[in-house]
Structures are given as C-alpha cells and as structure tokens.
Amino acid sequence: MSDRNQRITFARSPRGLPVPEDFGADETAIPAPGPGQFLSRTVYLSLDPYYRNVMKNSQIYQDRLAPGDVMVGETVAEVIESHHADYKPGDIVAVRNGWQQYAVSAGQGVRRIDPSLAPIATALGVLGMPGMTAYAGTVFLAAPLPGQTFVVSACTGPVGCAAGQIARHMGARVVGIAGSKEKCEYAVRALGFEACVNYKDGDLVAALKAACPDGIDVYFDNVGGSTLEAVTRNLAMGARIVLCGMIEAYSMDTPPPGPWLGPIVGARATMKGLVVYDHMHKFSEMQRVLSRWIREGSFTWRDDVTESLSRAPEAFCRLMRGQNFGKALVRVGAEPVIRQ
Ligand code: NAP
C-alpha cells in the first residue's frame, strides 16, 4: 500500500448542472488512528443525488463544505488498523469516509456490514439508505393494496427499483417511469414491472393513461417537475403521492414553480413528504425483508460502477444528468477477500 491518501475535494458550488471543474483533487499522508479510532480503506464510494444539494450548502443537511474540504459521502470500507474496541482489521463497514482512499473514524454512525447477506456494495444501495427510503415510502407511507396501480419514477435507480419491487411483493400492479428504452426494458424484464413508460418518448400524460387504465392509486415520486405534473392528470380516486425526490430541480438555481394542484383536489388525493432519516429505526427490518427476497431470487438491482476515485467527479456529473443506469458507485479500492 502506498503511504499517500488521494482525495477529491469541493472547489465551488455548481451553477446549474455540476461539471468536473466544481471539484479539486489533492494528496495527503494516510491519517493515523488515535485512541478509540480505526483506520479504514475505502472500497466503494456511493454517489447520491443529494450531494448536489450539499454542494449548495442547503440548510436541510448537517454537512457543510468550504473550498478545499474533502467531498462528503457514504462509503463501504475495510478496517485496516484499529484502536477501537468494537472494530478489528478485516471488518467491513459502512462509514462516511467521503471521497478519499483512507479515513479515520471514532465509530460514530458506522454500520457493520454482513457480507453473507448480499454483495457488500448493496450496503450503499438497495440494502442501505436508498433501500430504506424505498421501504419506508412504500410500506409505511404509500401502503399499496393488492391490485392497486403503483407508479414509480427513476424506476431503475436504487430507490425506484426497490420501491417498485417492494410494491410488487405487496401485490400491487407496478408501472415504472424511466428515461430510455433500455431502462424500460430492464424494468419489465428484470424488475418484473407490469409496464414502463419512457418519459422522453412523446406525450407522458397519454402514455400513463394507456399504461394505467384504472388510474394511478400510488405515485412514488423521485423526480418532481413535469413528471409529477403528468401523473396528477391520471390519479385514481383517493390516490396517495409520496414525495421522495425532486432531482429535476436540484441543479436549478431558483426553484421551479410547483405543479397545478387542481387534480389533487379532484381525486381527493393525499401527498406525503418522505425523509428517510425519520425511519432509520426500521433499518434491520428492511434488511431482513429485502435480503430474504434477494436470496430467494425475487428482488434484484443494478450497479453502475465507475473505476477509480479520480473519475468520481465525472461519474457524479453523469448521475446528475440522469445518465446512470443503476446504483451509481465508484470502486476506490479492490474488494476485500471475504473469509466466511
Ligand atoms: P437514481 O435513480 O440512481 O438517479 C437519479 C435518476 O433520476 C436518473 O438516473 C434519472 O433516471 C432520473 N431523472 C429524472 N429526471 C431527471 C433530471 N431532470 N435530471 C437528472 N436525473 C433525472 O437516484 P436514487 O439514489 O435512486 O435517488 C432517487 C431520488 O430519491 C432522488 O431524487 C433522491 O434525491 C431521492 N432520495 C430521497 C430520499 C429522502 O429521504 N426523501 C432519500 C434518498 C434519495 P431516468 O433516466 O430513469 O429518468
């Protein structure tokens, strides 16, 4: 192992869509763990849309970034040196190392990963924060009934693919919305959705009407904007909308005007805002349920892996343009050999 620690830093708040020049890069010595700390090497870095909001220092996140700071982010890492009573070398953990190869931690907010459950990268995707988001929004907020029509946007990403498959397991008729023919084919073939509508392919209101002839009972909204607007034109009576993400607006400097809410009144619909951190006490329940379905072969996901930390900025820019296909990850270091 080299004695240097490569880092990707925050350079400036993006204007509009992020570009690689919004990031910097530097190298430091590998930090040494003090008493009560451990040192870990990053294996996978998670790329998540909310980093775009952190980069504008949005007040709703605890993270604050100044130019030159290492970019924040969740990682899967291997403990390589430890003075912490609960962690030993070889342990695999989910830890907020940020965009760098090595970091020390005092154990706060660290989650131990059980490699026997599923591939370790899932701790950042369907068995991590995105999976918890999908589970909470679908099971606790939307609660689709068997036979009801459940529509989910960004349906091949970690939140969308998990939400749709959870709804399918609950007996709902699931219709995805995605941004390419390839993504839509994957949603039907691999995720088992009844149908999938490509919103870039013509009139979305009409396409949703054709795919959801009895109206939409539940909409799990990952994008907001014009897609949300089109869904509200197709609501069934008593529909529920879970507002999870508004990626369309994250790269706008001023918030866009909201959708016309008349159809919400007409359908006697309910809209609920979802914040995953309110539901973390149900994390082990989510992991138990989803990992059982993974073992049984009735739940799947896709990873979109970029090799090398130096390419993380470009991969993040791709994610914010909607060009990822699956959970956006960066492989920062080699996968550890797991001894079961
Ligand atoms: P993701 O689906 O892997 O990536 C985002 C996807 O959004 C893109 O691949 C793209 O897919 C779609 N998209 C639609 N319109 C877009 C636009 N104008 N610009 C860019 N992308 C667009 O992401 P994820 O991690 O699963 O997260 C999904 C959503 O959930 C995000 O909005 C995220 O912020 C939100 N979220 C919320 C919470 C919470 O607590 N409420 C927690 C986690 C995540 P298509 O090509 O298929 O459209």
Side-chain angles (χ1 to χ4, degrees):
M1 134 182 159
S2 126
D3 61 351
R4 306 300 289 167
N5 178 31
Q6 277 182 28
R7 317 188 314 166
I8 302 292
T9 56
F10 170 74
R12 62 182 188 197
S13 290
R15 305 294 302 266
L17 284 168
V19 292
E21 293 71 29
D22 298 326
F23 301 86
D26 66 12
E27 253 185 35
T28 60
I30 295 176
Q37 295 183 328
F38 64 81
L39 171 70
S40 67
R41 72 169 183 95
T42 306
V43 180
Y44 288 105
L45 164 67
S46 179
L47 297 180
D48 291 279
Y50 81 89
Y51 297 172
R52 175 65 184 81
N53 292 332
V54 174
M55 292 178 83
K56 54 182 158 188
N57 279 319
S58 162
Q59 295 302 314
I60 62 170
Y61 302 100
Q62 283 178 348
D63 297 306
R64 288 283 168 275
L65 286 171
D69 286 349
V70 67
M71 274 292 299
V72 293
E74 192 164 48
T75 60
V76 162
E78 179 184 17
V79 176
I80 52 176
E81 188 183 339
S82 180
H83 306 301
H84 191 296
D86 299 338
Y87 299 97
K88 59 178 191 319
D91 284 350
I92 313 295
V93 289
V95 54
R96 292 184 66 81
N97 277 358
W99 298 30
Q100 58 184 337
Q101 290 176 303
Y102 299 92
V104 292
S105 165
Q108 208 182 12
V110 173
R111 200 157 35 86
R112 192 185 295 281
I113 295 172
D114 176 358
S116 70
L117 280 186
I120 59 173
T122 56
L124 302 172
V126 293
L127 293 185
M129 183 277 285
M132 188 65 234
T133 306
Y135 192 81
T138 307
V139 177
F140 306 135
L141 301 191
L145 297 173
Q148 287 195 324
T149 297
F150 181 102
V151 171
V152 55
S153 49
C155 77
T156 60
V159 175
C161 89
Q165 290 180 92
I166 293 164
R168 198 198 67 212
H169 273 275
M170 293 171 82
R173 179 179 177 276
V174 179
V175 174
I177 300 177
S180 74
K181 182 167 173 274
E182 204 190 359
K183 287 182 177 180
C184 281
E185 283 170 1
Y186 171 79
V188 172
R189 182 179 34 79
L191 304 178
F193 296 175
E194 190 84 16
C196 182
V197 174
N198 177 359
Y199 65 95
K200 293 183 179 158
D201 197 15
D203 183 345
L204 181 58
V205 177
L208 284 171
K209 196 172 288 299
C212 310
D214 299 328
I216 296 167
D217 297 293
V218 173
Y219 176 47
F220 193 113
D221 184 19
N222 282 318
V223 302
S226 48
T227 303
L228 172 60
E229 179 100 41
V231 167
T232 62
R233 307 282 167 162
N234 282 289
L235 294 177
M237 211 41 83
R240 281 93 70 209
I241 298 176
V242 175
L243 297 174
C244 172
M246 321 238 138
I247 193 165
E248 194 170 293
Y250 296 169
S251 297
M252 294 179 182
D253 295 327
T254 44
W260 160 239
L261 293 178
I264 304 289
V265 179
R268 284 72 165 166
T270 312
M271 287 175 119
K272 292 183 181 174
L274 166 64
V275 174
V276 63
Y277 301 107
D278 297 344
H279 301 275
M280 292 315 252
H281 58 289
K282 294 287 189 180
F283 201 88
S284 51
E285 174 184 317
M286 175 280 291
Q287 277 197 321
R288 201 171 52 247
V289 173
L290 301 198
S291 60
R292 192 182 73 233
W293 291 341
I294 291 173
R295 270 196 309 282
E296 291 169 357
S298 63
F299 184 100
T300 193
W301 72 95
R302 225 183 120 104
D303 291 330
D304 182 327
V305 183
T306 298
E307 298 292 340
S308 162
L309 180 65
S310 61
R311 294 182 55 212
E314 137 203 353
F316 181 67
C317 296
R318 267 192 337 113
L319 168 69
M320 294 315 298
R321 289 196 301 266
Q323 290 169 344
N324 63 309
F325 186 178
K327 169 64 200 166
L329 294 167
V330 178
R331 200 191 324 267
V332 177
E335 280 235 10
V337 179
I338 311 279
R339 284 174 288 278
Q340 305 272 355

